[in-house]
Amino acid sequence: MAIGFAPATTAGTSSRLARSLEPAEWVAANVPLLSNPRDIVKDLYARHLPMPGTAVVAVFSADGRLEASASFTQRAGHTDGWERRNAILAHLRRVTSDDLRRRRPVRTAVLLVCRDGDAGWTEADGAWMWGLRDACSLYGLRCGAYLTLTRDGWHVIGENRGGRTPKAASWSETPGGAAALRPTGAPEALRRAAAR
């Protein structure tokens, strides 16, 4: 009788690949369309000023109002949907309560990822999409759109919609940089609350 272990690479690779979504799978999941993606991107961009390596998760009420949002940096080199899901969940918990007691989801979570490269789908995007879908399921939210922000502009994956502005780190190209886009005259505590 021989005792041995299965190679970890095969099991690890297949499980990681299963935690990713292709654009066709994303479209088949009937993710609700954004009524005005340009305004959503502009609002989230003004609140968080993301640069490449930053993700922004936002929760919208049933009537489309932004209720909460949080930005966080990504760990470079990791494209596992499980890790992406855990990061999204951790930041959702910081800014809003779950909807698990509702019979069906009412609020919608949207994810904006600012990254280098072109606007086309990447393996890392597939991991983020899987992570968003799973986090929404575990938190009682509807899974909303997945958007990328690159130096070419913004793009809604699976919807074939996009625009040239804002784009990744375009705030750094404006006179005054980030300070020029921040609200003025408000105490620091109010500014932090506005970003939530």
Side-chain angles (χ1 to χ4, degrees), residues 98-161:
D98 66 64
D99 283 353
L100 293 171
R101 294 182 186 201
R102 294 184 182 272
R103 289 187 177 195
R104 62 185 183 87
V106 175
R107 298 184 302 158
T108 304
V110 169
L111 186 67
L112 170 70
V113 173
C114 184
R115 62 172 173 75
D116 291 318
D118 61 14
W121 181 88
T122 66
E123 190 177 316
D125 292 327
W128 276 119
M129 290 155 54
W130 186 92
L132 176 63
R133 186 185 68 179
D134 208 48
C136 288
S137 176
L138 292 171
Y139 215 61
L141 302 171
R142 288 174 69 202
C143 180
Y146 174 75
L147 305 106
T148 59
L149 191 65
T150 65
R151 296 205 181 272
D152 295 330
W154 58 271
H155 182 70
V156 185
I157 300 290
E159 289 188 31
N160 221 8
R161 292 195 284 176

Side-chain angles (χ1 to χ4, degrees), residues 40-189:
I40 289 172
V41 172
K42 283 183 177 178
D43 186 24
L44 294 177
Y45 190 84
R47 289 172 187 270
H48 297 279
L49 301 176
M51 60 178 47
T54 305
V56 179
V57 62
V59 178
F60 292 88
S61 64
D63 62 0
R65 287 182 302 107
L66 177 65
E67 288 191 358
S69 64
S71 61
F72 52 99
T73 56
Q74 311 165 34
R75 286 176 53 185
H78 289 80
T79 57
D80 186 7
W82 186 79
E83 290 180 5
R84 304 299 197 202
R85 179 202 67 191
N86 290 345
I88 293 167
L89 277 173
H91 288 85
L92 282 173
R93 289 183 184 120
R94 290 181 181 166
V95 296
T96 189
S97 58
D98 66 64
D99 283 353
L100 293 171
R101 294 182 186 201
R102 294 184 182 272
R103 289 187 177 195
R104 62 185 183 87
V106 175
R107 298 184 302 158
T108 304
V110 169
L111 186 67
L112 170 70
V113 173
C114 184
R115 62 172 173 75
D116 291 318
D118 61 14
W121 181 88
T122 66
E123 190 177 316
D125 292 327
W128 276 119
M129 290 155 54
W130 186 92
L132 176 63
R133 186 185 68 179
D134 208 48
C136 288
S137 176
L138 292 171
Y139 215 61
L141 302 171
R142 288 174 69 202
C143 180
Y146 174 75
L147 305 106
T148 59
L149 191 65
T150 65
R151 296 205 181 272
D152 295 330
W154 58 271
H155 182 70
V156 185
I157 300 290
E159 289 188 31
N160 221 8
R161 292 195 284 176
R164 283 186 257 169
T165 58
K167 58 186 177 180
S170 59
W171 55 265
S172 64
E173 299 165 6
T174 61
L181 294 176
R182 296 239 184 251
T184 57
E188 187 62 29

